[in-house]
Amino acid sequence: MSTSTVSDGPARPAPRAPRLSRNLRRVAGSVLAAALLLPLAACGGPGPDRGRVTVLAAASLTDVFEGIGTAYEKAHPGTEIAFSFAGSQELASQVRQGVPADVVVTADTLTMDGLRNETGEPVVIARNRLTIATAKGNPENITGLDDLSRSGLKVVLAAPEVPVGRYSRQILDKAGVAVRPVSQEPSVRAVLSKVQLGEADAGLVYVTDAAAAGGGVDTVAVPDARNAVASYPAATLDSAADAEAARAFVAWLRSAEARELLAEAGFETP
């Protein structure tokens, strides 16, 4: 409830509080600032997260790296591994644009070589080969590379700037097979998706991606003599927030445990 007071005469000014000296005010301000900063210091402040390693990785590593990240975190309590997957050419673009990250893993040495001014010394952690992915049941009865040039067959490939796209053209050129793809995709996963969705009869993908699709596609093997070998180099980024943690993760990718996980996913290991 509000109340009113009626004055019997002119109001007298209220007495002023004693004024703090300039030095005393300065001391009080310093104490207050310190008190406000203490909670921030206890939380680690606004600097980089030293317990997090961000990895830019080729799309074909998506499935196996999820397991590798879990295994690494279990072996290194307090460290979080965060992945960002894309085509290698897109990863390289992100690195050049300064996207915050600590490690990069590409699906070819050519793309990694183009980042030599941005990374530490790369090491190859895995290798892969290509296979022909067909619609489930292989309704077009594709038996090998030569069939991919058949009239009316819808073949999808990765774009030339994508590692698997370059490997695909290397294989086809070596075999003397002329293919006019119905589309050129930005990653191996996009090629696989086109085949799975029935938008293409066949496509060239990595062996590991076809395996990860389970029963979603059928495969036709490419003989080793006509195949290409994809190498996967990993390197720390010079811009890494925690260079030591980044180097530790790259080194672990060559460990027995990591090699075992890669082999289980169908990769060849050094």
Side-chain angles (χ1 to χ4, degrees):
M1 179 185 301
S2 62
T3 58
S4 304
T5 303
V6 178
S7 174
D8 293 331
R12 295 183 180 180
R16 293 184 179 180
R19 303 179 68 178
L20 294 173
S21 69
R22 180 176 299 178
N23 288 338
L24 186 57
R25 289 200 304 271
R26 185 179 296 121
V27 171
S30 299
V31 171
L32 178 60
L36 291 173
L37 288 173
L38 278 174
L40 291 177
C43 295
D49 185 350
R50 298 290 180 177
R52 181 184 179 95
V53 177
T54 300
V55 182
L56 305 179
S60 50
L61 293 167
T62 300
D63 298 289
V64 68
F65 262 26
E66 294 293 353
I68 278 178
T70 299
Y72 189 82
E73 290 174 351
K74 183 177 180 180
H76 301 79
T79 300
E80 177 189 358
I81 304 296
F83 295 107
S84 177
F85 299 101
S88 295
Q89 78 292 345
E90 185 176 340
L91 300 179
S93 178
Q94 291 175 11
V95 170
R96 294 188 182 102
Q97 291 170 10
V99 171
D102 305 291
V103 173
V104 61
V105 189
T106 63
D108 67 335
T109 55
L110 183 62
T111 301
M112 185 65 80
D113 287 345
L115 297 174
R116 62 170 59 92
N117 294 329
E118 312 282 347
T119 70
E121 187 66 26
V123 293
V124 173
I125 64 164
R127 294 187 174 90
N128 213 341
R129 294 177 187 267
L130 275 67
T131 189
I132 302 170
T134 73
K136 188 173 176 59
N138 193 7
E140 297 297 331
N141 193 30
I142 296 167
T143 61
L145 289 172
D146 295 337
D147 289 331
L148 299 182
S149 63
R150 282 187 348 216
S151 176
L153 192 71
K154 294 184 292 184
V155 179
V156 62
L157 300 174
E161 62 270 18
V162 183
V164 71
R166 286 197 297 272
Y167 294 133
S168 296
R169 281 157 185 77
Q170 177 183 329
I171 289 173
L172 294 170
D173 290 346
K174 183 178 179 180
V177 177
V179 173
R180 298 188 66 177
V182 293
S183 69
Q184 299 184 92
E185 301 300 318
S187 72
V188 66
R189 286 303 173 99
V191 173
L192 190 65
S193 177
K194 288 280 187 179
V195 177
Q196 285 181 294
L197 294 173
E199 297 177 16
D201 300 314
L204 281 168
V205 301
Y206 294 120
V207 168
T208 54
D209 288 280
V217 297
D218 278 7
T219 60
V220 178
V222 177
D224 286 349
R226 306 182 82 182
N227 215 323
V229 178
S231 295
Y232 290 74
T236 59
L237 290 170
D238 292 343
S239 59
D242 189 335
E244 183 178 352
R247 286 193 295 269
F249 179 72
V250 170
W252 188 86
L253 290 175
R254 299 274 299 233
S255 69
E257 185 175 1
R259 289 200 303 269
E260 182 178 353
L261 291 170
L262 287 162
E264 287 175 356
F267 289 89
E268 300 172 17
T269 56

